[in-house]
Amino acid sequence: MNKRRLAAVMISALVVIGFVGISEYRVSNELRPTTVYFASQDIPAHTEILDSMVTSMELPLKGLPPGIITNKKDLVGKYTLDQYGLAQNSYFFQSKIVSQDELMDAARMKLKDGQSLWTGSVNLLESSAGNVLPDTDIDIWFSAVETDGADSKWVIGKMYEGVTVLSAKNKKAEDIVAKNNTNTVNAQGQTTAPKKELYPTVVQLAVDDDQLQILNASLSTAFRDGTIILVPHNDNREAGLPELGVTGVYDIKPYIKSKQLDLDQYINKTKGTSDTETKQVESLSAIQPEGEKN
């Protein structure tokens, strides 16, 4: 009986000691100094965070809001969200700080002098099964159908080689590379792994004005079943083609330009018609009796 009591006392003592130890560890952990970062000044929305904009302070872990950034390398060089600025002394929250690639206009920010941004929608086939990715080069092909009475013929060729892809996005305009590699953090600080998206539905290319004109023209109703196809550029193959386009048997641009309206001729024709109508009105006015003129 005494042995049983002794065992019970020892077990109770161990439980108490364990509970006290766990409690002390928890309290010690909650009071552990943690480096917390604050905005040292007002930071506007859509602004790169510089080292001079960040200050720090050590505070107890207990009481800190969930989801705040506690590592400076996750701050400097990142951006505040569009339409979300920070007031001085504000915390930096993981859900409100993004990389440049995660900004809505990240592609525009990558443009060089003389370049324009072309945006087009693509499907699995047109994006080469997901092989069209940001910061890679592609060749641009075009296909259409020509109809002559009951006879239909296909036409296909290449527009340009070595065009740079600036972004590849899903239908929500989210960069698929950044989305596939970035965990999301909710307001409670809980982390969720991303849902993988295997190919883009929207791509954005860096082009010059001539390329922009031809690309947009190729999607007009002047072409039946006109389709742009993006093909990963093969750097190991000798291009043999001009930097701004394609020549030779595969050059499709002359075909696209053949559908172009001669703007000068159209303006002159319209102007001539307008002048003729004006003269007719003046002649009619000249022969009307005075009483019938307004």
Side-chain angles (χ1 to χ4, degrees):
M1 190 70 177
N2 290 335
K3 290 182 178 181
R4 291 182 179 180
R5 289 181 179 178
L6 180 60
V9 170
M10 292 178 65
I11 292 173
S12 300
L14 289 174
V15 170
V16 171
I17 291 172
F19 178 78
V20 172
I22 292 173
S23 299
E24 288 183 351
Y25 172 79
R26 182 179 298 172
V27 171
S28 175
N29 189 55
E30 291 177 346
L31 296 178
R32 175 173 54 87
T34 301
T35 302
V36 180
Y37 296 95
F38 302 88
S40 61
Q41 62 185 70
D42 291 344
I43 304 177
H46 197 281
T47 300
E48 182 178 6
I49 300 173
L50 305 177
D51 187 78
S52 59
M53 299 176 180
V54 180
T55 188
S56 63
M57 180 184 299
E58 288 195 347
L59 296 173
L61 182 62
K62 183 178 176 59
L64 293 178
I68 62 173
I69 295 176
T70 57
N71 194 327
K72 194 173 184 179
K73 73 176 184 179
D74 294 331
L75 281 174
V76 177
K78 299 296 181 67
Y79 286 77
T80 52
L81 284 175
D82 298 325
Q83 302 179 347
Y84 180 83
L86 289 172
Q88 185 177 10
N89 297 325
S90 296
Y91 291 111
F92 293 98
F93 287 91
Q94 295 174 359
S95 59
K96 302 298 183 181
I97 305 299
V98 296
S99 65
Q100 179 179 316
D101 288 338
E102 293 175 284
L103 292 172
M104 291 293 290
D105 61 342
R108 176 190 62 80
M109 298 172 68
K110 296 178 181 179
L111 289 173
K112 299 177 182 178
D113 290 341
Q115 289 184 330
S116 299
L117 186 65
W118 181 82
T119 302
S121 60
V122 293
N123 56 28
L124 180 63
L125 172 63
E126 295 159 353
S127 66
S128 294
N131 284 282
V132 175
L133 298 172
D135 301 320
T136 62
D137 292 338
I138 58 168
D139 299 338
I140 305 176
W141 287 71
F142 175 74
S143 68
V145 175
E146 277 293 317
T147 303
D148 184 8
D151 189 21
S152 295
K153 296 182 178 180
W154 61 265
V155 58
I156 186 169
K158 192 183 294 186
M159 291 192 218
Y160 302 105
E161 281 200 343
V163 177
T164 300
V165 179
L166 295 183
S167 76
K169 300 183 177 183
N170 61 19
K171 61 184 178 182
K172 296 180 180 179
E174 299 169 320
D175 184 277
I176 64 166
V177 176
K179 183 176 178 60
N180 287 346
N181 292 282
T182 303
N183 293 333
T184 57
V185 181
N186 61 22
Q188 287 71 43
Q190 298 171 327
T191 301
T192 304
K195 180 180 179 181
K196 300 293 184 182
E197 300 193 40
L198 302 181
Y199 68 93
T201 54
V202 176
V203 296
Q204 294 181 298
L205 311 177
V207 299
D208 61 27
D209 288 344
D210 290 337
Q211 293 170 329
L212 183 66
Q213 181 189 43
I214 294 297
L215 282 165
N216 287 331
S218 68
L219 296 176
S220 73
T221 55
F223 302 96
R224 177 185 165 192
D225 297 332
T227 303
I228 289 177
I229 303 172
L230 308 181
V231 180
H233 182 66
N234 185 357
D235 292 326
N236 297 323
R237 179 173 59 84
E238 183 178 353
L241 300 168
E243 180 181 358
L244 296 181
V246 177
T247 60
V249 294
Y250 291 115
D251 187 6
I252 196 70
K253 293 190 298 302
Y255 166 71
I256 296 174
K257 289 181 178 180
S258 71
K259 305 283 188 177
Q260 182 178 4
L261 175 69
D262 188 325
L263 194 56
D264 290 335
Q265 183 179 354
Y266 178 78
I267 291 174
N268 291 332
K269 180 181 178 180
T270 304
K271 184 176 182 298
T273 302
S274 177
D275 290 344
T276 300
E277 291 176 348
T278 301
K279 291 178 181 179
Q280 290 175 346
V281 171
E282 291 175 349
S283 299
L284 180 62
S285 177
I287 64 176
Q288 280 184 333
E290 289 295 329
E292 296 181 11
K293 294 181 181 180
N294 292 329

